[in-house]
Amino acid sequence: MVGPTSVDNGIQKDEILIIKELDPTAVINEPLPPVVTENGHVVDVDDDQPESKKQSPREIVLGRNLHTSCLEVTEPGVNDELTGDKDADMASILSRYRKNLLDRTKHHLGYPYNLDFDYGALSQLQHFSINNLGDPFIESNYGVHSRQFEVGVLDWFARLWEIEKDEYWGYITNCGTEGNLHGILVGREVYPDGILYASSESHYSVFKAARMYRMDCVKINCLISGEIDCNDFKTKLLANKDKPAIINVNIGTTVKGAVDDLDLVIKTLEDCGFHDRFYIHCDGALFGLMMPFVKRFGSLEAPKVSFKKPIGSVSVSGHKFVGCPMPCGVQLTRLKHINVLSSNVEYLASRDATIMGSRNGHAPIFLWYTLNRKGYKGFQKEVQKCLRNAHYLKDRLRDAGIGAMLNELSSTVVFERPKDEEFVRRWQLACQGNIAHIVVMPNVTIDKLDDFLTELIEMRSTWYQVGGDEPPCIEADVGRENCACVKHK
């Protein structure tokens, strides 16, 4: 073992045990997964490479591990308690894994997770199995819970979305998807024969809910911005006037960060004669927590998500803008709707209207801790910072001749997909067809964006040489004015 002489990437040298026989975290040059276009065709990512450099394609197969490496679970040896070899092996693995996490965090840009948090003060609670099983407002016989923190967090969000304490019900979910599953389930229970309407840019969990609950689902076209096309919505509503409408409204779409016009959706429903026959679920995974802190940005006024409007439920992810070491979310609905889902559970001595049974009791404490530390003013500053940095990134991309789009009330910058899939993986970019995106979160600094831009511009000079390949045309994805291909420059 090496003595504590220096620090490498935040890891004390004495943490690293050198074991030559075991290196399960060594970097392996894995073959890249194929690029799948929207029509389902597979494109070989290195068709233009010489035969000697081509990698064999790796298909994505359900039920099989996508990774070629595995940290095997092994039985302790007979003398491990005496020699300490097993503990040493595991310490070495964990140390190298931590080092890998530091590097992956440094190059994280494509997914909407705020990685800038410090919960060291809560480490004293990690020795407890905290479980908030059942209804957060009704204690069960299990006493190791954090309901008092959970209800405090829910009350904070109730104030944010303008609903009285005695008029809402909600809970801390395990992720944003669970919030969508719950919100749509409530809508289905309120209107058992209702049709689910969702834009084509909605999160995949919305369509998963339709399959799980065997609901009729109508997909609505989108504008080039990614926002729901209410003209198409109107047409499809009028074709199904005999059945109630259950609508998913996006407060920030997954790929383009587009915010659906909630007021226009409501007006469209009313104009089509659905006055008291609709249920609206607002999927605010990321931007549902950002929009309340944006009054105006540029020439646009931020849309307001409020229970003073005829909506049925709102969900957000807790690990995205807030930042949390484990996935979690918040789901709020109207109390009058929840009785159709709630049932007594004698085993718990409580009631339950949640999707899951056991629920992570640590997550509410993490959320409570951050909400108390930052408050409304702290979040407002972070939102403004993210929007400014997103505009900086968009402008730098356009200055470099790279097609890019940014919706005014968004921190998601969409741009042409980098040609090299290794580059995509290095920066962990989220891609769809010919476009990729970066979600500018509180932990994404100008310096980090500059590092990315420098590397991207340098790499493009090798990808697109005179007389060779040209950058892709992304007019169909982001509009002519945002495309910088040869045809639209």
Side-chain angles (χ1 to χ4, degrees):
M1 190 164 79
V2 181
T5 57
S6 63
V7 176
D8 182 14
N9 287 332
I11 303 174
Q12 292 285 348
K13 290 282 189 178
D14 61 352
E15 292 179 31
I16 303 176
L17 296 166
I18 300 175
I19 302 174
K20 295 182 180 179
E21 297 79 15
L22 178 68
D23 189 10
T25 57
V27 175
I28 299 174
N29 292 322
E30 302 180 26
L32 294 171
V35 177
V36 183
T37 62
E38 289 189 20
N39 60 11
H41 294 154
V42 175
V43 180
D44 193 341
V45 297
D46 51 10
D47 272 343
D48 56 341
Q49 296 293 322
E51 288 296 329
S52 60
K53 292 187 177 181
K54 283 191 177 182
Q55 296 174 314
S56 58
R58 183 178 65 182
E59 295 183 2
I60 299 175
V61 182
L62 290 178
R64 294 179 59 185
N65 191 345
L66 196 61
H67 303 283
T68 58
S69 60
C70 172
L71 293 175
E72 186 180 1
V73 176
T74 60
E75 290 297 309
V78 176
N79 298 319
D80 274 347
E81 290 188 9
L82 296 176
T83 63
D85 288 347
K86 183 75 169 181
D87 289 341
D89 286 355
M90 291 190 294
S92 176
I93 291 170
L94 293 174
S95 178
R96 282 174 285 183
Y97 175 61
R98 179 175 179 269
K99 190 172 183 178
N100 179 67
L101 290 179
L102 289 169
D103 177 72
R104 294 291 72 208
T105 298
K106 181 180 178 182
H107 297 94
H108 177 274
L109 284 176
Y111 295 88
Y113 307 134
N114 180 6
L115 306 182
D116 184 17
F117 54 78
D118 180 4
Y119 290 111
L122 303 183
S123 61
Q124 58 186 313
L125 305 178
Q126 299 307 300
H127 300 287
F128 299 96
S129 178
I130 308 176
N131 192 331
N132 287 4
L133 67 175
D135 192 307
F137 299 94
I138 305 173
E139 290 194 13
S140 73
N141 286 341
Y142 185 74
V144 187
H145 63 78
S146 63
R147 281 181 173 82
Q148 61 273 49
F149 293 92
E150 181 172 17
V151 173
V153 171
L154 295 173
D155 284 348
W156 189 90
F157 279 94
R159 292 192 299 273
L160 189 71
W161 294 324
E162 300 182 322
I163 186 169
E164 297 298 322
K165 288 185 180 181
D166 59 352
E167 294 180 359
Y168 88 86
W169 183 92
Y171 72 105
I172 306 296
T173 63
N174 291 294
C175 59
T177 288
E178 185 181 348
N180 286 340
L181 292 176
H182 191 276
I184 293 170
L185 178 61
V186 173
R188 200 278 310 267
E189 293 300 295
V190 173
Y191 295 112
D193 61 338
I195 294 176
L196 175 62
Y197 295 86
S199 80
S200 58
E201 297 263 354
S202 296
H203 191 259
Y204 70 88
S205 61
V206 175
F207 305 106
K208 177 192 289 188
R211 292 194 303 272
M212 289 176 63
Y213 305 146
R214 299 189 180 278
M215 300 172 68
D216 290 334
C217 181
V218 175
K219 191 176 289 189
I220 310 300
N221 295 334
C222 286
L223 306 176
I224 198 71
S225 64
E227 180 184 337
I228 190 171
D229 182 349
C230 281
N231 288 327
D232 186 54
F233 181 40
K234 181 177 181 178
T235 299
K236 289 170 179 174
L237 278 174
L238 292 175
N240 298 283
K241 286 193 69 173
D242 58 325
K243 291 189 176 181
I246 302 166
I247 308 95
N248 177 77
V249 171
N250 295 304
I251 314 301
T253 57
T254 305
V255 176
K256 298 180 181 178
V259 177
D260 292 341
D261 189 332
L262 175 59
D263 293 335
L264 184 56
V265 167
I266 293 170
K267 183 178 184 300
T268 303
L269 286 160
E270 293 174 343
D271 288 348
C272 292
F274 285 77
H275 296 280
D276 296 316
R277 296 188 303 123
F278 66 83
Y279 180 98
I280 296 176
H281 169 69
C282 296
D283 175 12
L286 170 61
F287 294 105
L289 191 49
M290 296 177 69
M291 285 300 100
F293 303 105
V294 183
K295 302 302 180 186
R296 294 188 67 87
F297 196 86
S299 60
L300 293 181
E301 184 173 349
K304 191 173 187 179
V305 177
S306 169
F307 278 94
K308 290 182 178 180
K309 300 177 181 181
I311 63 175
S313 52
V314 185
S315 64
V316 295
S317 296
H319 58 290
K320 290 183 177 176
F321 193 75
V322 175
C324 193
M326 74 278 292
C328 59
V330 176
Q331 160 71 354
L332 253 63
T333 186
R334 297 182 187 275
L335 181 61
K336 66 181 183 181
H337 294 326
I338 207 62
N339 288 332
V340 295
L341 285 178
S342 187
S343 59
N344 291 322
V345 184
E346 183 180 1
Y347 172 75
L348 303 178
S350 182
R351 290 180 65 81
D352 191 13
T354 65
I355 295 287
M356 302 298 179
S358 291
R359 293 185 295 109
N360 188 334
H362 290 275
I365 304 174
F366 284 107
L367 296 178
W368 175 89
Y369 184 80
T370 296
L371 296 180
N372 271 289
R373 288 193 67 188
K374 294 184 178 179
Y376 289 103
K377 290 184 178 179
F379 283 115
Q380 188 172 33
K381 288 181 181 178
E382 290 195 337
V383 170
Q384 294 296 333
K385 171 190 169 186
C386 290
L387 296 179
R388 284 196 306 270
N389 288 356
H391 277 265
Y392 171 82
L393 172 61
K394 186 260 295 184
D395 291 342
R396 285 287 311 276
L397 287 167
R398 297 305 303 269
D399 290 344
I402 302 172
M405 181 186 80
L406 171 64
N407 284 307
E408 281 295 325
L409 297 170
S410 174
S411 66
T412 299
V413 180
V414 181
F415 59 102
E416 63 184 52
R417 180 177 187 153
K419 183 180 179 182
D420 184 3
E421 291 300 309
E422 285 287 0
F423 180 88
V424 168
R425 291 173 65 182
R426 169 174 163 78
W427 288 97
Q428 301 166 68
L429 303 177
C431 301
Q432 180 176 287
N434 284 331
I435 57 174
H437 79 200
I438 286 175
V439 186
V440 180
M441 300 297 288
N443 63 294
V444 177
T445 63
I446 292 293
D447 287 343
K448 188 171 187 176
L449 293 175
D450 283 342
D451 289 343
F452 167 79
L453 288 161
T454 300
E455 190 172 325
L456 175 63
I457 293 169
E458 180 181 346
M459 294 295 290
R460 288 180 90 253
S461 66
T462 63
W463 300 337
Y464 308 119
Q465 297 181 355
V466 177
D469 291 341
E470 297 177 350
C473 174
I474 57 174
E475 177 190 11
D477 300 291
V478 300
R480 178 185 293 263
E481 68 277 12
N482 296 310
C483 181
C485 71
V486 174
K487 180 180 176 182
H488 297 118
K489 275 187 177 179

